[in-house]
Amino acid sequence: MPGNEHVEVKQSRVPGGGKGLFARKSFSPGDTVVAVDRPLVAELEVGRMLDTCAWCFQREATNPTERSIAASMGLPHGSTKIKSCSGCQRVGYCSKPCQSKAWKREHKHECKIIGAKDIPDLAPGVRGAIKILGRLKADSKSEITHVRNILSLWPAGDSNGLNEIGTQDKKRFDDFRLLGHAAWHYCGEPSIEGLDPQSISTGLLSNIMSNAFTLASSLDDVNLGIGFDPLICSANHSCDPNATLVFNQPRHEIRALRTIKAGEEIFIKYVEVTNPFSVRQAELKENYFFTCQCAKCTKGASLPADQFLGRPEDLESEYNKLADGLIGQYGSGLSKFTIPGSESKAQRRVAAMQAKACAVLENEQATLDEVKEAIQMCIGSKMWEKPSPFFISEKPSFALGFFSTCTLSLYIRFVISSTK
């Protein structure tokens, strides 16, 4: 890819890592390692399709108070105005130039499909597959290389990759097949010589959904959608990454976090790396179908992020009662939050409270009262650090693990929500 000649894709040194992204020159912290003007696939979440530009991903603040505050600060979502496509009425754009670019590149292949009255709102990965298949149908000579590059990635590019997904999560694999076939049918059933049509559609959707990265606003971290690009997605995961993804709406970059030497593999994070060992492993297995074996994970649940401030067995009776009620609510998913080393019942109690805090933190629609209650639970239980403006400066030697980070993040959410 032009402008990305200082990296190359080749076999990763990580066991089972497939292809990896490697530096062909040295990079200093902050250097741009990879840059694409816009990912090959960039799709809005369903809930963002009418308030965010489908091309550049600039968001319109629809809440009057939020819009007023953003405008007073000179932030783009305080002035951005989204207008729906007159054809499908399903997506919108912030300007004529963005609409024109989108139409020429991709929207003309999906407009009639997603605008049909009998078609429900489609998931972002399915819309991405429709656009790729639509371009393949319209101009196979130009698009066949893109499609083959996508299909070369894991899982479709691995002889046993799709079977592994089918074994680990049969329902998800069946969804890939069904939705992939539907996208292929909607686009006029395009073909590639020498490939089974079913393998093309299933492979495309499987690879997009198994390698997609989150597209979030760099200003307020609002989750906007998903992105997929064969070059960027060649970078493998580490819980101690040497590079990070930066989304500059719509430009996407990989930037060095520390010095990367020529010949060194480039790693980014797929999940939040301040989470405890058990949470990281569960999320990677659930979303990306692998067990992380990075240097951080080989240490197991022994880092500060895996420790509580107090012993779970010493939880006060008020919070024991609260936790017992939460166990019934989150029981089936508590293993994700379980940390070895304490008595089982006590462990399940703090795991349930952790699950509750996570659920509120990850819910963008959580009310102010819900956020406040979660903060009070974290602080009152004395299992988590109380957030304060001086937290980092007061404890420079303390690694900000998940438990403290979760409380601090909830506190920030509370402050932001209070201003809306």
Side-chain angles (χ1 to χ4, degrees), residues 10-231:
K10 59 182 182 180
Q11 184 63 37
S12 174
R13 297 173 187 140
V14 176
K19 293 182 178 180
L21 189 64
F22 289 79
R24 299 181 66 183
K25 57 160 278 188
S26 294
F27 294 97
S28 298
D31 283 352
T32 298
V33 178
V34 169
V36 294
D37 290 335
R38 189 175 185 272
L40 181 63
V41 172
E43 296 295 335
L44 294 166
E45 293 292 346
V46 171
R48 300 256 78 104
M49 289 172 67
L50 293 178
D51 71 2
T52 303
C53 179
W55 181 258
C56 74
F57 275 57
Q58 289 296 338
R59 180 175 67 91
E60 173 188 349
T62 54
N63 179 286
T65 304
E66 180 189 10
R67 187 171 183 82
S68 176
I69 293 173
S72 69
M73 298 172 67
L75 299 176
H77 55 288
S79 58
T80 298
K81 188 68 176 175
I82 304 300
K83 293 185 178 181
S84 299
C85 167
S86 60
C88 64
Q89 298 289 321
R90 293 288 182 97
V91 296
Y93 301 94
C94 68
S95 65
K96 286 291 185 182
C98 278
Q99 185 174 19
S100 177
K101 290 175 184 177
W103 181 262
K104 291 177 182 177
R105 174 60 181 161
E106 56 187 29
H107 189 54
K108 62 184 177 183
H109 302 299
E110 67 163 356
C111 189
K112 289 185 178 179
I113 295 172
I114 67 174
K117 293 182 178 181
D118 60 338
I119 299 294
D121 288 327
L122 300 174
V126 178
R127 299 198 309 272
I130 286 174
K131 290 172 182 175
I132 293 171
L133 290 167
R135 292 198 296 268
L136 178 65
K137 179 68 175 179
D139 187 0
S140 61
K141 289 184 179 180
S142 298
E143 296 299 325
I144 193 169
T145 300
H146 285 312
V147 175
R148 288 191 180 277
N149 284 341
I150 296 171
L151 292 175
S152 70
L153 296 174
W154 190 93
D158 184 295
S159 59
N160 199 43
L162 292 176
N163 288 334
E164 288 180 25
I165 292 180
T167 300
Q168 293 183 41
D169 191 339
K170 186 177 184 303
K171 181 182 183 305
R172 192 172 183 186
F173 177 67
D174 288 343
D175 286 344
F176 287 162
R177 292 182 63 184
L178 177 63
L179 294 173
H181 182 78
W184 173 73
H185 177 72
Y186 289 148
C187 294
E189 303 182 355
S191 62
I192 295 178
E193 186 176 353
L195 291 180
D196 171 55
Q198 183 73 52
S199 69
I200 297 173
S201 58
T202 302
L204 276 178
L205 187 58
S206 299
N207 280 16
I208 290 172
M209 295 308 297
S210 300
N211 293 280
F213 42 84
T214 299
L215 299 179
S217 169
S218 57
L219 295 173
D220 52 17
D221 204 35
V222 169
N223 184 11
L224 300 173
I226 65 166
F228 170 89
D229 190 90
L231 183 60

Side-chain angles (χ1 to χ4, degrees), residues 82-394:
I82 304 300
K83 293 185 178 181
S84 299
C85 167
S86 60
C88 64
Q89 298 289 321
R90 293 288 182 97
V91 296
Y93 301 94
C94 68
S95 65
K96 286 291 185 182
C98 278
Q99 185 174 19
S100 177
K101 290 175 184 177
W103 181 262
K104 291 177 182 177
R105 174 60 181 161
E106 56 187 29
H107 189 54
K108 62 184 177 183
H109 302 299
E110 67 163 356
C111 189
K112 289 185 178 179
I113 295 172
I114 67 174
K117 293 182 178 181
D118 60 338
I119 299 294
D121 288 327
L122 300 174
V126 178
R127 299 198 309 272
I130 286 174
K131 290 172 182 175
I132 293 171
L133 290 167
R135 292 198 296 268
L136 178 65
K137 179 68 175 179
D139 187 0
S140 61
K141 289 184 179 180
S142 298
E143 296 299 325
I144 193 169
T145 300
H146 285 312
V147 175
R148 288 191 180 277
N149 284 341
I150 296 171
L151 292 175
S152 70
L153 296 174
W154 190 93
D158 184 295
S159 59
N160 199 43
L162 292 176
N163 288 334
E164 288 180 25
I165 292 180
T167 300
Q168 293 183 41
D169 191 339
K170 186 177 184 303
K171 181 182 183 305
R172 192 172 183 186
F173 177 67
D174 288 343
D175 286 344
F176 287 162
R177 292 182 63 184
L178 177 63
L179 294 173
H181 182 78
W184 173 73
H185 177 72
Y186 289 148
C187 294
E189 303 182 355
S191 62
I192 295 178
E193 186 176 353
L195 291 180
D196 171 55
Q198 183 73 52
S199 69
I200 297 173
S201 58
T202 302
L204 276 178
L205 187 58
S206 299
N207 280 16
I208 290 172
M209 295 308 297
S210 300
N211 293 280
F213 42 84
T214 299
L215 299 179
S217 169
S218 57
L219 295 173
D220 52 17
D221 204 35
V222 169
N223 184 11
L224 300 173
I226 65 166
F228 170 89
D229 190 90
L231 183 60
I232 290 177
C233 291
S234 296
N236 280 314
H237 165 83
S238 171
C239 296
D240 184 23
N242 55 13
T244 187
L245 280 176
V246 179
F247 184 43
N248 288 326
Q249 294 165 277
R251 182 180 172 86
H252 220 95
E253 300 175 346
I254 296 179
R255 292 194 177 184
L257 289 173
R258 54 178 181 263
T259 299
I260 300 175
K261 297 179 180 179
E264 188 176 347
E265 186 166 359
I266 296 159
F267 293 99
I268 59 176
K269 67 175 184 178
Y270 293 1
V271 298
E272 179 51 60
V273 295
T274 61
N275 283 348
F277 170 74
S278 59
V279 175
R280 299 196 311 272
Q281 291 286 359
E283 290 181 347
L284 289 168
K285 193 73 171 177
E286 178 182 347
N287 296 308
Y288 299 98
F289 304 99
F290 73 89
T291 299
C292 185
Q293 303 176 56
C294 71
K296 185 174 180 178
C297 284
T298 57
K299 297 177 182 178
S302 62
L303 301 177
D306 300 295
Q307 310 303 317
F308 291 103
L309 291 183
R311 293 187 341 125
E313 292 84 356
D314 296 334
L315 196 65
E316 295 178 1
S317 58
E318 174 187 352
Y319 291 95
N320 279 335
K321 184 176 180 180
L322 172 64
D324 287 340
L326 294 175
I327 287 175
Q329 185 176 351
Y330 297 100
S332 60
L334 291 188
S335 59
K336 176 179 176 179
F337 301 97
T338 300
I339 297 174
S342 67
E343 188 267 324
S344 178
K345 189 172 183 177
Q347 180 64 269
R348 286 176 62 79
R349 283 171 170 162
V350 291
M353 289 194 295
Q354 186 178 343
K356 173 66 175 180
C358 276
V360 174
L361 181 60
E362 294 171 358
N363 179 14
E364 293 185 5
Q365 305 303 318
T367 66
L368 193 60
D369 285 342
E370 289 173 329
V371 175
K372 186 177 180 180
E373 287 174 7
I375 293 173
Q376 291 173 336
M377 177 189 69
C378 291
I379 296 173
S381 67
K382 300 177 183 179
M383 293 290 112
W384 290 272
E385 181 70 45
K386 180 178 180 180
S388 89
F390 309 103
F391 178 72
I392 295 177
S393 59
E394 286 177 346

